[in-house]
Amino acid sequence: QGDGFVAHAPKVFTIDMAMAIHDMTQLYIEYGVSKQRLEALAAIEMPVVQKWQQMMEIFFTTQLHVVAGFGYSPDEHGLMSYIKDFSQFLEKLDNDEHQIVMKVTRRETWRSLVATTFKVSVDDIPEMTIVDARNHMHKVTSKMQSPDILMLIQKQVSRIVYPENKDQETAMKHQALQDIIVNSVYLGDSPNSIVEQAKCGSGAEGYAKFQCALGDFEGDPLIGEYTMSAMNKMFEAGGLEGAGIMQQGQQPRLTP
């Protein structure tokens, strides 16, 4: 800029900053242009995975706009720097009250985001206990490693080959893998699908409710262990490199 000023990210990340960023993000999602974009997305018929990905793009764009006001660069690098600072801040947070407040705030943002996109009422999202969540994810990850699913991955994912563009090949494999995870693992075998067993309903709405309910337990080490083991086997079946690219293969989640 003309005056030589250069913004920079906070040197010390505080609870007040964390709450302000989450409150502002929630404000845009519930009342701002982000809400308008989510409502427009909700009105379009498209596959569940594609809609979920576009929902997350809207979320990240919103969050990027907010964190830029706190000195982070207005690009992917700035967003990743914020996520790193926030994650380190959470690890050091030793006040139980603050931890509860942050968990509730993130939960509200996540549910508003998903409920708007998939036209579900927040009141209709079932409550899960940690035991419920672990049991449901054990079913999910067991099915992910079942012979039928691994064979499907081998047929539909490992055969995608673009020698002239390896990045495109990897992206298409991940897309195909996510399609299988959502449509064959979570939603497959209706009316006895995993999301229906969890009393979340069926189809896109059922998947959305299931992810919202499960989101309360993001970071649980046992669920993480289940997921890591299953994803490694799916990557192997799909001809993808293992856990090093797990983030791309995981189901999208609310990033702090």
Side-chain angles (χ1 to χ4, degrees):
Q1 297 181 3
D3 57 4
F5 172 76
V6 178
H8 59 80
K11 295 180 180 178
V12 179
F13 199 90
T14 67
I15 183 67
D16 290 335
M17 289 180 188
M19 290 302 302
I21 289 171
H22 278 75
D23 286 347
M24 292 172 70
T25 303
Q26 176 79 357
L27 188 69
Y28 283 118
I29 288 173
E30 288 203 341
Y31 304 106
V33 174
S34 297
K35 173 69 174 289
Q36 296 174 26
R37 293 185 62 196
L38 290 170
E39 289 176 335
L41 176 61
I44 302 172
E45 292 293 329
M46 65 176 67
V48 179
V49 173
Q50 185 180 348
K51 180 167 284 194
W52 192 278
Q53 290 169 339
Q54 291 194 25
M55 174 192 76
M56 293 307 297
E57 287 176 8
I58 293 171
F59 170 73
F60 287 132
T61 300
T62 303
Q63 198 168 53
L64 183 60
H65 175 76
V66 172
V67 301
F70 286 77
Y72 293 94
S73 58
D75 51 28
E76 184 178 357
H77 176 74
L79 185 58
M80 295 305 296
S81 294
Y82 159 69
I83 291 171
K84 179 182 177 182
D85 287 349
F86 182 76
S87 298
Q88 291 176 343
F89 163 77
L90 281 184
E91 290 175 2
K92 297 175 183 177
L93 197 61
D94 54 7
N95 185 307
D96 289 343
E97 182 178 351
H98 285 167
Q99 288 182 347
I100 292 171
V101 169
M102 290 307 303
K103 182 177 180 179
V104 170
T105 302
R106 294 169 70 193
R107 182 181 196 257
E108 290 174 352
T109 302
W110 180 230
R111 292 190 169 212
S112 295
L113 185 75
V114 177
T116 301
T117 305
F118 289 91
K119 296 182 179 179
V120 300
S121 170
V122 173
D123 295 334
D124 291 337
I125 298 170
E127 297 291 336
M128 287 186 189
T129 66
I130 184 62
V131 174
D132 293 332
R134 287 172 173 174
N135 286 340
H136 290 314
M137 279 309 295
H138 186 266
K139 291 180 183 178
V140 169
T141 52
S142 295
K143 190 171 182 180
M144 287 164 69
Q145 301 172 77
S146 68
D148 288 348
I149 293 297
L150 295 179
M151 181 64 69
L152 183 63
I153 292 170
Q154 288 178 350
K155 289 180 177 179
Q156 296 188 11
V157 180
S158 63
R159 294 179 182 177
I160 297 174
V161 179
Y162 282 87
E164 70 283 359
N165 192 332
K166 298 304 290 184
D167 289 341
Q168 182 183 8
E169 177 183 318
T170 299
M172 292 184 69
K173 283 186 173 183
H174 279 295
Q175 182 69 46
L177 191 65
Q178 289 187 357
D179 287 339
I180 291 172
I181 292 172
V182 172
N183 297 311
S184 299
V185 176
Y186 284 96
L187 301 179
D189 302 319
S190 183
N192 193 39
S193 68
I194 290 174
V195 298
E196 288 168 292
Q197 291 178 37
K199 302 188 185 307
C200 292
S202 61
E205 291 184 7
Y207 177 76
K209 291 177 185 177
F210 185 91
Q211 290 297 333
C212 276
L214 194 68
D216 290 347
F217 306 100
E218 182 178 359
D220 176 70
L222 188 55
I223 290 177
E225 185 179 325
Y226 290 158
T227 305
M228 179 70 77
S229 176
M231 290 305 300
N232 281 338
K233 290 200 174 178
M234 294 186 88
F235 280 135
E236 183 179 353
L240 290 161
E241 297 174 9
I245 48 175
M246 175 155 173
Q247 273 194 326
Q248 297 177 44
Q250 280 183 312
Q251 287 310 302
R253 293 183 177 182
L254 181 64
T255 301

